[in-house]
Amino acid sequence: QVQLVQSGAEMKKPGASVKVSCKTSGYTFTTFDINWVRQAAGQGLEWMGWMDPKSGNADFAQKFLGRVTMTRDTSINTAYLELSSLRSEDAAVYFCARALPAQGANHYFDYWGQGTLVAVSS
Amino acid sequence: DIQMTQSPSSLSASVGDRVTITCRASQRISTYLNWYQQKPREAPKVLIYAASSLQSGVPSRFSGTGSGTEFSLTISSLQPEDFATYYCQQTYSTPWTFGQGTKVEIK
């Protein structure tokens, strides 16, 4: 069965970087894009960007440009999100999600990781 | 960026009620609209994709309609396990934005 398993909670100081992993199984890793979505406590969902695991190409929301890196290791079917220059507003649960194409260019997120809590505090 | 606006932000309903949540896009997005359900401390779960297609395994009491800028999610007969927060999401153009969410609570 398809699974996305994320790394554990992180506590970081402002200005530091965090790297979250998303290990996939149950399907061919390079077939579907991986997206990253975050959710601050009590808030809604915020899309951060996507990565094509086959090519490594990625696209990010403008607000994260210069601070976010999305990479992958195809040998272990794992995607990574790295966010640098952390500030208090980056404290959130970070989710990875598989994007399934449907009906042309539409995509939807059919499988999600369990989420990784990133706390930012001095 | 395409803004997605849901209404209402929250609602109270009873088991068995028919519930409708609406989602409006700031520009036309064809049917590139998905609906998710999220329960506390869980990842979101897709219910409807491409505006009206029911995801496999999702009960048929959930349905979606709309195209262009106006969309709706209907739960035909609310069940106890349906009390959750619901989000719409557009995947017409990046950034793939979500609505602010609609919390469905027990009356």
Side-chain angles (χ1 to χ4, degrees):
Chain A
Q1 73 282 22
V2 174
Q3 286 190 306
L4 283 69
V5 179
Q6 298 182 223
S7 48
E10 301 267 10
M11 169 75 83
K12 295 292 182 181
K13 295 188 183 303
S17 296
V18 68
K19 191 171 186 177
V20 178
S21 67
C22 173
K23 183 170 178 58
T24 71
S25 60
Y27 73 102
T28 302
F29 177 60
T30 52
T31 303
F32 304 109
D33 295 344
I34 293 291
N35 284 251
W36 292 91
V37 175
R38 74 178 186 179
Q39 185 171 39
Q43 303 300 307
L45 301 169
E46 181 178 29
W47 181 83
M48 298 181 69
W50 64 263
M51 181 195 64
D52 175 356
K54 185 174 184 180
S55 64
N57 292 338
D59 185 22
F60 316 124
Q62 184 82 15
K63 70 179 287 185
F64 299 108
L65 284 178
R67 289 207 300 143
V68 70
T69 306
M70 294 180 187
T71 57
R72 87 289 192 215
D73 184 339
T74 56
S75 68
I76 56 171
N77 300 328
T78 300
Y80 301 93
L81 169 74
E82 185 167 15
L83 188 62
S84 62
S85 302
L86 289 169
R87 32 216 193 218
S88 58
E89 312 89 86
D90 294 318
V93 175
Y94 289 74
F95 294 100
C96 60
R98 187 180 84 162
L100 197 67
Q103 300 180 11
N106 191 25
H107 290 77
Y108 66 99
F109 302 165
D110 64 339
Y111 285 94
W112 295 66
Q114 82 277 18
T116 296
L117 176 64
V118 175
V120 182
S121 174
S122 54
Chain B
D1 298 1
I2 299 174
Q3 307 302 316
M4 307 300 293
T5 304
Q6 291 181 229
S7 61
S9 295
S10 65
L11 65 91
S12 296
S14 301
V15 172
D17 284 353
R18 181 182 181 88
V19 168
T20 297
I21 299 167
T22 63
C23 178
R24 176 175 296 166
S26 61
Q27 65 186 73
R28 296 183 66 84
I29 59 170
S30 184
T31 56
Y32 290 27
L33 190 285
N34 309 312
W35 289 98
Y36 299 87
Q37 175 194 67
Q38 188 181 31
K39 297 180 180 178
R41 294 170 297 282
E42 293 185 5
K45 168 188 168 184
V46 64
L47 302 174
I48 301 286
Y49 63 91
S52 61
S53 296
L54 188 68
Q55 172 68 347
S56 176
V58 173
S60 59
R61 63 181 179 273
F62 292 93
S63 63
T65 62
S67 67
T69 61
E70 300 282 338
F71 302 87
S72 65
L73 172 73
T74 297
I75 310 171
S76 60
S77 178
L78 201 63
Q79 298 301 300
E81 60 268 30
D82 301 337
F83 292 96
T85 300
Y86 294 83
Y87 295 92
C88 61
Q89 176 205 29
Q90 65 82 19
T91 54
Y92 183 79
S93 66
T94 58
W96 288 348
T97 41
F98 290 89
Q100 81 278 17
T102 296
K103 187 173 184 179
V104 177
E105 299 176 301
I106 301 172
K107 181 183 284 185

